[in-house]
Amino acid sequence: MDGQHSEKSQSDTTADRTSSAMSQNPRAAQRQAGTRGNPEGDAPCPASHRISSPISRSMKDLSCMKVPQDPAHRDKQAHPTTILLCKSRSSQAALMPKEHKMFMEEAYNAAICFKMLRDLNGSDPLHLKYIIKKIKGMAYRAPNLVLETIHDYLVDNPEISSRHKFRLFHVLEAVIEASNSLEEAWQKSFMQLALENMTKSTELEEVYQDAASDVLLAICRHSWRMVAQHLETEVLTGVFPHRSLLYVMGILTSNEAIFNEGEKACWEEQLAQLAVKSVQFLNTDMWSKELLLALTKPDRTHQEQPPEKAFLFIYYGLILQAEDNSTTVRTHLRTLLDTSHQWPKQREGIALTIGLAAARHLDHVWAVLEQFGRSTPIKWSLHSFCLKGRVRRALTLHLCPRCGQNAEDLQWKWASSTILLSYGQMAVRAKAHILPWVDNILSRMVFYFHYSSWDETLKQSFLSAVLMLVGAVSRNEGAHSYEFSQVSELLDCLMVLMEKEPRDTLCTPTRQQTIHIISSLCKLRPPLDLEKKSQLLSTCLHSVLALPLLDVLEKHTCLFLEPPNIQTLYNKTSSALDQLLQSFIMQSPTTDELHLLLSHLYPWLASEKAQERQRAVDRSTALLRFLSHSHSLDPKEDFRRIGQLVGMLGILCQDPDRAIQQSSVEGLGHLYQLLISQTARAAPMVNAQAPKQLSPASVDGAPVWSSGDQKTAPPTPPEMTFPKDHIFQLDSSQVIKEVMKHLTKAELTDLIWTAIEGLGSASPFRVQAAADMLLTTIREHGAKLETLCSVCIPQAKEKALHAITLLAQNHTPELVATFLDFSVPLDSHAFCLWRALGAEQPVSRQVLAVLLAWLQERALPPGPRDGSPQPKDKPCPRSLAAMNMLHELQFAREFKKAVQEAFPQLLLALLAQLHYTLELHLPQEPHLPQEPLLPQEPHLPREPHLPQEPHLLQEPHLPREPHLPQELHLPQEPHLPQEPHLPQEPRSALEPQPGHEAPEAMPSPHSTSLEALKSLLSTTGHWQDFAHLELQGGWKLFSTIDTYPQGVSLLARAMVQNHCKQIKAVTSQLLPNLQSKEARERKVAILILTEFLYSPTLLEVLPRQAALIVLARSLRDPSPEVRVLSLQGLGNILFHPEKESLLRRQLPPFLDGFFQNNEQVVVQVMGTVSDVLHRLGAHSAAAQSLGVAINARSFFDDAGPSVTPSPRDLQERDGIRAAAMALFGDLVAAMAGKELSSLRTQVHQSMVPLFLHLKDHCPGVVTQAKFTLYRCAVLLRWRLRHTLFCTLAWERGLSARHFLWTCLMTHSQEEFGIHLAQALSYLHSRHRHIKTWAALFIGYTICYHPQAVSQMVSSVDTNLLFSTFEDLKKDPEPSIRVFATRQLYFLQKVAARP
């Protein structure tokens, strides 16, 4: 405090003295202000000035400006005019108005800056940040004023604290950098200030010294030569330089931004001269010892090397380079190599020093490395010694015989890495002198590759060293005259390295670097033989193309502290592979070479994995693009076996993957250009004398292996005039036809055989594409093919029918009827015919229309249905076949748009078909198809039907039972981190699966109809409606004729609640069905219509009066069921507005009924309230919503009044909990679209109970918890609701639980404390699964929010968590036990925090 007070007093005195002096000499002040500009500031002036409030505000506004502005803008600013000085009137009169204003601005801004510099001694970090920001802003406007103020402040306050001065140095650095120029006086003054403080010892240690050094570096931006001269003087004193001097020189060496253009070379030259002058110090023991001590000093972080140490390695290497005495060089290098090799930056620094020394002493450096490589520590670091020697050494040194390592081994473990890097640096620094040494260096690299203890460190060192060596050789103009005998052995090492790379990860640039090295080595002499080249291609292609999907690769890096950018890493690796292929073709520009490259890509083009096909076609397209643009192929070469390439790319033009399609078409386009180019370039050579051998290097004289050939192409002949872009404007089929025109007879034959091989593929798209290409080839060029008659095509009948479908577009009804006859059972070949029918959009609509017509050709079911006897008949085969085809075609991309357009017709037809199959009494499967990955849950008995009052409830109550999950064909949304694996969209049931034969057992007509209805909802984007039925187990309602109406009503209600856009279209379609002759169609129509009455959208199609007429007409329907449903529809609130108030008044009494002692009554009352909410529809009871929500939530954890309830009591209380959750979900759905903050609060507070009851022992409670949780997520507008639905419906395990936790915590961060408290309370639950789920919930929270949890959890809760996780370590599920073990460890760390 005393120091601060003293400092403040001195500052005030200085300010007074400055202002007084300036007042006595106004003209000098004017001149000074004129040179400094117009700075800004905001602080109290010295005591000699008095400033009125307008001036303070003006100055405050001025100080907020951050960037310099032009003088015109500066002159426009308003300036204060109400300044009074405590001087005589004569002094004031002596000042002219303009001079007076400039003087006062100068004085006040200087005083403001002075005060801000004084305030830097504060302790408030936010205030300090604000002050520094303002000073920097003032420096942009008037750097000279700020510089002078800082200088005066430092001079007048020599006793300020080190921390205060440290902050002043940072500000001074920023001000100097902001200055466009720096006067020589300032340069000398501040350079002296920096030099004095750079070596000063304070409590801030190196941080203080670095701050002073940064001031000197800022001066270098204005005058680096003067600074360099002072540095040289300090370094050449004979005393080992201080760390700060080396720090400055290190930054100058590494940061090119300090220098202007061309000045960097001058600094390097001056540094080399400094090294020559420093040679004398090598023989000084004290200087050498301090040098070695500085080089071996441990770094603060082993990942980064401080600038002073990095410079010291360079400086040392330059000194050794300048040393004439070889003995001295060897001694120093060996001493340096005898230091520790444990840390990577240390190894790189040692290698750099050795490389710099090798620029002049290559022989001696090689000898030192050879001697060091044969030393005992290096020998023991290699693994070529037998186990006996290792055991003997272990016994001698008292080590573990198994590993034979002690602390000293770490010093030498990676010495091989240093040697490898040293060889690389030798090659870089020796430049042209390295060529005779290349084979020797390569042999040593190969030796250390084979005999070192291999790990990631050695691998990266090996690659770095080889990259440096290959780069040095490639840059050397004389390399083409050498033959390198060790290249083959090095390539073997590189192939081994590629093969050892993990097949399922891509975390490092190892593949990219290795392929770059191979590309460069292939340009050296001697050229590679065919076998070696084939091995390289196979290894490199397999290492890159066989990688998993990028999403999978990214998941492997989720635990990295600094995960790499997988997309960028993969792109660079793929680019390196492209360069390798281009390098091969440049070395041998022949069609045989091109065929060799393509033959290695063909297996990948036919891969069953989409990502492998895409990568292979991208590489093929890139190679063809390169050849097309560079014109590298010899024009005398005729293309051979190009037909196979056209066939492969042509088939991939119909790949399901859009990217593969586009890349394949592009590849064919470049192939077309290449064919035209070769023809045009070869034509002039017929009449002209051509050289015997075409050399790409003849264009510019560059060697074949240089990069110049890859950028230069021979001039295009005048005859070669064709529209290059025309081919890329055509579709795939036209491109294929254009390419076929330029193929020879032999190549067309190859193309046909490629298509024939494609017909035998297991991939449906490949069979279809091969058939298309085969037909196109025969149609366009059949006359040329003499061998066509000998071609035996598999599945001849199906392919003949396929040809008919392409030619008979005007006979769709006949073809549909024909195909239906052999489509039961449907195989993959027949399914290709149906997909061909839908290739054209108008035909696909017509196909669906014909199938719907056949679907309605149903045989009459047995028994009276409409009051009149009907004959018995068997089901129509074509009707059932049409049903099966409508199901399968929903998954065909050709019918996607047509299915979406026909959604209303298909929906009504499929619902009627379901009723029809129930009427047939055909044998049905015992259960609906199950999700294959999930166990079956027991079904909950149906809840008792609640008797309703006549004027309230006139429709059947929908039961809420659990249901076995069905596999859903839904598009997936973007993943959250660590979200569970969602079920993928399955193939059509009749498409062949890899490795499996088609099932022999045919599904029943009823199950097929139900699956068709499900797929219709999922494939047309109505997954929300699907979710409503799936989560409620609603699909089971379609299994019997009695519950069928409830299922239809539930589906229609879901469409209303989800605001389905198809309500108007479906309504328009069902109105004619009310007049249908089929009772089932009228029944379906009236069921949907009665539910659609609750949708406001209905009135846009069917006005209120028209709806009354329709329902009244249906009262005379022959079917009793239709008449009853019509009567129920007439009782809708739409036609009786007075019911709204009546229903609302009945809600409070019903809420009181929740507390009855009879559990069945409570369940029935809750069901009644749910039905009231539904019947109110758009007129929902918003006023009573909060009361309903609170009462319903209170029963989520209802356990009954007894302390030890009986099993019957528990079952009854389970019914209450399920009914309460169902009611809460119905309330949330009824309030959707209404912003009620109180209800949203209740929804947020219900999320954790609903989450935890997903593991309830009662299946009925689990079902209602899932559905209610989903509806709450919809109300809260969560993202990834589709993913949430899939997880709730089918996923299990820790991944699903983690995803649900992530969703909750991501969307409810403000309720963090409430959620945690709720989860803690469930640790007392007597249900083991809920307690386990709560522990997992808290465990995830501890992992991701440890600090927040530690602040909120008491010691009692912590002990409870310890106890719970100890119990979970005995859980029968292994994943739970592992999780509990990890959580215990993590919880101990969290609990140990202060």
mmCIF file with all atom_site columns, all heavy atoms in Angstrom, residues 1088-1100:
data_model
loop_
_atom_site.group_PDB
_atom_site.id
_atom_site.type_symbol
_atom_site.label_atom_id
_atom_site.label_alt_id
_atom_site.label_comp_id
_atom_site.label_asym_id
_atom_site.label_entity_id
_atom_site.label_seq_id
_atom_site.pdbx_PDB_ins_code
_atom_site.Cartn_x
_atom_site.Cartn_y
_atom_site.Cartn_z
_atom_site.occupancy
_atom_site.B_iso_or_equiv
_atom_site.pdbx_formal_charge
_atom_site.auth_seq_id
_atom_site.auth_comp_id
_atom_site.auth_asym_id
_atom_site.auth_atom_id
_atom_site.pdbx_PDB_model_num
ATOM 1   N N   . ILE A 1 1088 ? -61.665 -42.268 -40.332 1.00 0.00 ? 1088 ILE A N   1
ATOM 2   C CA  . ILE A 1 1088 ? -60.698 -41.174 -40.501 1.00 0.00 ? 1088 ILE A CA  1
ATOM 3   C C   . ILE A 1 1088 ? -61.402 -39.829 -40.433 1.00 0.00 ? 1088 ILE A C   1
ATOM 4   O O   . ILE A 1 1088 ? -60.892 -38.875 -39.816 1.00 0.00 ? 1088 ILE A O   1
ATOM 5   C CB  . ILE A 1 1088 ? -59.946 -41.343 -41.833 1.00 0.00 ? 1088 ILE A CB  1
ATOM 6   C CG1 . ILE A 1 1088 ? -59.125 -42.630 -41.814 1.00 0.00 ? 1088 ILE A CG1 1
ATOM 7   C CG2 . ILE A 1 1088 ? -59.050 -40.150 -42.108 1.00 0.00 ? 1088 ILE A CG2 1
ATOM 8   C CD1 . ILE A 1 1088 ? -58.409 -42.927 -43.110 1.00 0.00 ? 1088 ILE A CD1 1
ATOM 9   N N   . LEU A 1 1089 ? -62.586 -39.736 -41.029 1.00 0.00 ? 1089 LEU A N   1
ATOM 10  C CA  . LEU A 1 1089 ? -63.287 -38.458 -41.054 1.00 0.00 ? 1089 LEU A CA  1
ATOM 11  C C   . LEU A 1 1089 ? -63.660 -37.992 -39.651 1.00 0.00 ? 1089 LEU A C   1
ATOM 12  O O   . LEU A 1 1089 ? -63.543 -36.806 -39.327 1.00 0.00 ? 1089 LEU A O   1
ATOM 13  C CB  . LEU A 1 1089 ? -64.539 -38.568 -41.929 1.00 0.00 ? 1089 LEU A CB  1
ATOM 14  C CG  . LEU A 1 1089 ? -65.389 -37.304 -42.042 1.00 0.00 ? 1089 LEU A CG  1
ATOM 15  C CD1 . LEU A 1 1089 ? -64.572 -36.179 -42.659 1.00 0.00 ? 1089 LEU A CD1 1
ATOM 16  C CD2 . LEU A 1 1089 ? -66.646 -37.571 -42.855 1.00 0.00 ? 1089 LEU A CD2 1
ATOM 17  N N   . THR A 1 1090 ? -64.090 -38.903 -38.788 1.00 0.00 ? 1090 THR A N   1
ATOM 18  C CA  . THR A 1 1090 ? -64.478 -38.506 -37.433 1.00 0.00 ? 1090 THR A CA  1
ATOM 19  C C   . THR A 1 1090 ? -63.286 -37.969 -36.642 1.00 0.00 ? 1090 THR A C   1
ATOM 20  O O   . THR A 1 1090 ? -63.459 -37.114 -35.762 1.00 0.00 ? 1090 THR A O   1
ATOM 21  C CB  . THR A 1 1090 ? -65.096 -39.697 -36.688 1.00 0.00 ? 1090 THR A CB  1
ATOM 22  O OG1 . THR A 1 1090 ? -64.192 -40.810 -36.746 1.00 0.00 ? 1090 THR A OG1 1
ATOM 23  C CG2 . THR A 1 1090 ? -66.437 -40.079 -37.300 1.00 0.00 ? 1090 THR A CG2 1
ATOM 24  N N   . GLU A 1 1091 ? -62.098 -38.435 -36.939 1.00 0.00 ? 1091 GLU A N   1
ATOM 25  C CA  . GLU A 1 1091 ? -60.917 -37.893 -36.277 1.00 0.00 ? 1091 GLU A CA  1
ATOM 26  C C   . GLU A 1 1091 ? -60.450 -36.590 -36.920 1.00 0.00 ? 1091 GLU A C   1
ATOM 27  O O   . GLU A 1 1091 ? -59.981 -35.679 -36.249 1.00 0.00 ? 1091 GLU A O   1
ATOM 28  C CB  . GLU A 1 1091 ? -59.772 -38.921 -36.291 1.00 0.00 ? 1091 GLU A CB  1
ATOM 29  C CG  . GLU A 1 1091 ? -59.938 -40.085 -35.338 1.00 0.00 ? 1091 GLU A CG  1
ATOM 30  C CD  . GLU A 1 1091 ? -59.920 -39.662 -33.880 1.00 0.00 ? 1091 GLU A CD  1
ATOM 31  O OE1 . GLU A 1 1091 ? -59.259 -38.663 -33.562 1.00 0.00 ? 1091 GLU A OE1 1
ATOM 32  O OE2 . GLU A 1 1091 ? -60.603 -40.328 -33.069 1.00 0.00 ? 1091 GLU A OE2 1
ATOM 33  N N   . PHE A 1 1092 ? -60.601 -36.492 -38.238 1.00 0.00 ? 1092 PHE A N   1
ATOM 34  C CA  . PHE A 1 1092 ? -60.201 -35.269 -38.931 1.00 0.00 ? 1092 PHE A CA  1
ATOM 35  C C   . PHE A 1 1092 ? -61.070 -34.081 -38.556 1.00 0.00 ? 1092 PHE A C   1
ATOM 36  O O   . PHE A 1 1092 ? -60.699 -32.939 -38.837 1.00 0.00 ? 1092 PHE A O   1
ATOM 37  C CB  . PHE A 1 1092 ? -60.253 -35.489 -40.440 1.00 0.00 ? 1092 PHE A CB  1
ATOM 38  C CG  . PHE A 1 1092 ? -59.045 -36.196 -41.004 1.00 0.00 ? 1092 PHE A CG  1
ATOM 39  C CD1 . PHE A 1 1092 ? -58.069 -36.730 -40.169 1.00 0.00 ? 1092 PHE A CD1 1
ATOM 40  C CD2 . PHE A 1 1092 ? -58.879 -36.327 -42.366 1.00 0.00 ? 1092 PHE A CD2 1
ATOM 41  C CE1 . PHE A 1 1092 ? -56.975 -37.381 -40.675 1.00 0.00 ? 1092 PHE A CE1 1
ATOM 42  C CE2 . PHE A 1 1092 ? -57.766 -36.964 -42.889 1.00 0.00 ? 1092 PHE A CE2 1
ATOM 43  C CZ  . PHE A 1 1092 ? -56.815 -37.505 -42.044 1.00 0.00 ? 1092 PHE A CZ  1
ATOM 44  N N   . LEU A 1 1093 ? -62.230 -34.329 -37.943 1.00 0.00 ? 1093 LEU A N   1
ATOM 45  C CA  . LEU A 1 1093 ? -63.078 -33.217 -37.512 1.00 0.00 ? 1093 LEU A CA  1
ATOM 46  C C   . LEU A 1 1093 ? -62.384 -32.347 -36.471 1.00 0.00 ? 1093 LEU A C   1
ATOM 47  O O   . LEU A 1 1093 ? -62.774 -31.198 -36.272 1.00 0.00 ? 1093 LEU A O   1
ATOM 48  C CB  . LEU A 1 1093 ? -64.398 -33.760 -36.944 1.00 0.00 ? 1093 LEU A CB  1
ATOM 49  C CG  . LEU A 1 1093 ? -65.365 -34.409 -37.956 1.00 0.00 ? 1093 LEU A CG  1
ATOM 50  C CD1 . LEU A 1 1093 ? -66.541 -35.019 -37.236 1.00 0.00 ? 1093 LEU A CD1 1
ATOM 51  C CD2 . LEU A 1 1093 ? -65.835 -33.390 -38.986 1.00 0.00 ? 1093 LEU A CD2 1
ATOM 52  N N   . TYR A 1 1094 ? -61.373 -32.886 -35.806 1.00 0.00 ? 1094 TYR A N   1
ATOM 53  C CA  . TYR A 1 1094 ? -60.641 -32.117 -34.807 1.00 0.00 ? 1094 TYR A CA  1
ATOM 54  C C   . TYR A 1 1094 ? -59.540 -31.258 -35.441 1.00 0.00 ? 1094 TYR A C   1
ATOM 55  O O   . TYR A 1 1094 ? -58.848 -30.523 -34.739 1.00 0.00 ? 1094 TYR A O   1
ATOM 56  C CB  . TYR A 1 1094 ? -60.002 -33.052 -33.772 1.00 0.00 ? 1094 TYR A CB  1
ATOM 57  C CG  . TYR A 1 1094 ? -61.024 -33.788 -32.941 1.00 0.00 ? 1094 TYR A CG  1
ATOM 58  C CD1 . TYR A 1 1094 ? -61.335 -35.120 -33.204 1.00 0.00 ? 1094 TYR A CD1 1
ATOM 59  C CD2 . TYR A 1 1094 ? -61.698 -33.153 -31.907 1.00 0.00 ? 1094 TYR A CD2 1
ATOM 60  C CE1 . TYR A 1 1094 ? -62.278 -35.800 -32.460 1.00 0.00 ? 1094 TYR A CE1 1
ATOM 61  C CE2 . TYR A 1 1094 ? -62.639 -33.833 -31.146 1.00 0.00 ? 1094 TYR A CE2 1
ATOM 62  C CZ  . TYR A 1 1094 ? -62.938 -35.158 -31.421 1.00 0.00 ? 1094 TYR A CZ  1
ATOM 63  O OH  . TYR A 1 1094 ? -63.872 -35.812 -30.674 1.00 0.00 ? 1094 TYR A OH  1
ATOM 64  N N   . SER A 1 1095 ? -59.344 -31.350 -36.752 1.00 0.00 ? 1095 SER A N   1
ATOM 65  C CA  . SER A 1 1095 ? -58.304 -30.588 -37.431 1.00 0.00 ? 1095 SER A CA  1
ATOM 66  C C   . SER A 1 1095 ? -58.912 -29.354 -38.089 1.00 0.00 ? 1095 SER A C   1
ATOM 67  O O   . SER A 1 1095 ? -59.876 -29.463 -38.860 1.00 0.00 ? 1095 SER A O   1
ATOM 68  C CB  . SER A 1 1095 ? -57.610 -31.448 -38.493 1.00 0.00 ? 1095 SER A CB  1
ATOM 69  O OG  . SER A 1 1095 ? -56.715 -30.679 -39.252 1.00 0.00 ? 1095 SER A OG  1
ATOM 70  N N   . PRO A 1 1096 ? -58.377 -28.168 -37.833 1.00 0.00 ? 1096 PRO A N   1
ATOM 71  C CA  . PRO A 1 1096 ? -58.886 -26.964 -38.522 1.00 0.00 ? 1096 PRO A CA  1
ATOM 72  C C   . PRO A 1 1096 ? -58.696 -27.032 -40.030 1.00 0.00 ? 1096 PRO A C   1
ATOM 73  O O   . PRO A 1 1096 ? -59.417 -26.377 -40.771 1.00 0.00 ? 1096 PRO A O   1
ATOM 74  C CB  . PRO A 1 1096 ? -58.052 -25.833 -37.905 1.00 0.00 ? 1096 PRO A CB  1
ATOM 75  C CG  . PRO A 1 1096 ? -57.499 -26.387 -36.633 1.00 0.00 ? 1096 PRO A CG  1
ATOM 76  C CD  . PRO A 1 1096 ? -57.336 -27.848 -36.853 1.00 0.00 ? 1096 PRO A CD  1
ATOM 77  N N   . THR A 1 1097 ? -57.731 -27.833 -40.478 1.00 0.00 ? 1097 THR A N   1
ATOM 78  C CA  . THR A 1 1097 ? -57.475 -27.932 -41.915 1.00 0.00 ? 1097 THR A CA  1
ATOM 79  C C   . THR A 1 1097 ? -58.653 -28.548 -42.657 1.00 0.00 ? 1097 THR A C   1
ATOM 80  O O   . THR A 1 1097 ? -58.853 -28.283 -43.841 1.00 0.00 ? 1097 THR A O   1
ATOM 81  C CB  . THR A 1 1097 ? -56.208 -28.770 -42.152 1.00 0.00 ? 1097 THR A CB  1
ATOM 82  O OG1 . THR A 1 1097 ? -55.154 -28.257 -41.338 1.00 0.00 ? 1097 THR A OG1 1
ATOM 83  C CG2 . THR A 1 1097 ? -55.767 -28.713 -43.595 1.00 0.00 ? 1097 THR A CG2 1
ATOM 84  N N   . LEU A 1 1098 ? -59.426 -29.353 -41.978 1.00 0.00 ? 1098 LEU A N   1
ATOM 85  C CA  . LEU A 1 1098 ? -60.551 -30.033 -42.634 1.00 0.00 ? 1098 LEU A CA  1
ATOM 86  C C   . LEU A 1 1098 ? -61.533 -29.032 -43.233 1.00 0.00 ? 1098 LEU A C   1
ATOM 87  O O   . LEU A 1 1098 ? -62.091 -29.260 -44.323 1.00 0.00 ? 1098 LEU A O   1
ATOM 88  C CB  . LEU A 1 1098 ? -61.267 -30.945 -41.618 1.00 0.00 ? 1098 LEU A CB  1
ATOM 89  C CG  . LEU A 1 1098 ? -62.513 -31.663 -42.138 1.00 0.00 ? 1098 LEU A CG  1
ATOM 90  C CD1 . LEU A 1 1098 ? -62.113 -32.793 -43.067 1.00 0.00 ? 1098 LEU A CD1 1
ATOM 91  C CD2 . LEU A 1 1098 ? -63.347 -32.206 -40.988 1.00 0.00 ? 1098 LEU A CD2 1
ATOM 92  N N   . LEU A 1 1099 ? -61.768 -27.935 -42.521 1.00 0.00 ? 1099 LEU A N   1
ATOM 93  C CA  . LEU A 1 1099 ? -62.762 -26.966 -42.977 1.00 0.00 ? 1099 LEU A CA  1
ATOM 94  C C   . LEU A 1 1099 ? -62.353 -26.300 -44.285 1.00 0.00 ? 1099 LEU A C   1
ATOM 95  O O   . LEU A 1 1099 ? -63.211 -25.728 -44.967 1.00 0.00 ? 1099 LEU A O   1
ATOM 96  C CB  . LEU A 1 1099 ? -62.988 -25.912 -41.891 1.00 0.00 ? 1099 LEU A CB  1
ATOM 97  C CG  . LEU A 1 1099 ? -63.519 -26.449 -40.546 1.00 0.00 ? 1099 LEU A CG  1
ATOM 98  C CD1 . LEU A 1 1099 ? -63.671 -25.319 -39.550 1.00 0.00 ? 1099 LEU A CD1 1
ATOM 99  C CD2 . LEU A 1 1099 ? -64.839 -27.176 -40.741 1.00 0.00 ? 1099 LEU A CD2 1
ATOM 100 N N   . GLU A 1 1100 ? -61.073 -26.339 -44.653 1.00 0.00 ? 1100 GLU A N   1
ATOM 101 C CA  . GLU A 1 1100 ? -60.662 -25.783 -45.937 1.00 0.00 ? 1100 GLU A CA  1
ATOM 102 C C   . GLU A 1 1100 ? -61.129 -26.642 -47.094 1.00 0.00 ? 1100 GLU A C   1
ATOM 103 O O   . GLU A 1 1100 ? -61.250 -26.155 -48.226 1.00 0.00 ? 1100 GLU A O   1
ATOM 104 C CB  . GLU A 1 1100 ? -59.138 -25.647 -45.971 1.00 0.00 ? 1100 GLU A CB  1
ATOM 105 C CG  . GLU A 1 1100 ? -58.570 -24.745 -44.888 1.00 0.00 ? 1100 GLU A CG  1
ATOM 106 C CD  . GLU A 1 1100 ? -57.057 -24.686 -44.930 1.00 0.00 ? 1100 GLU A CD  1
ATOM 107 O OE1 . GLU A 1 1100 ? -56.491 -25.108 -45.962 1.00 0.00 ? 1100 GLU A OE1 1
ATOM 108 O OE2 . GLU A 1 1100 ? -56.440 -24.223 -43.946 1.00 0.00 ? 1100 GLU A OE2 1
#
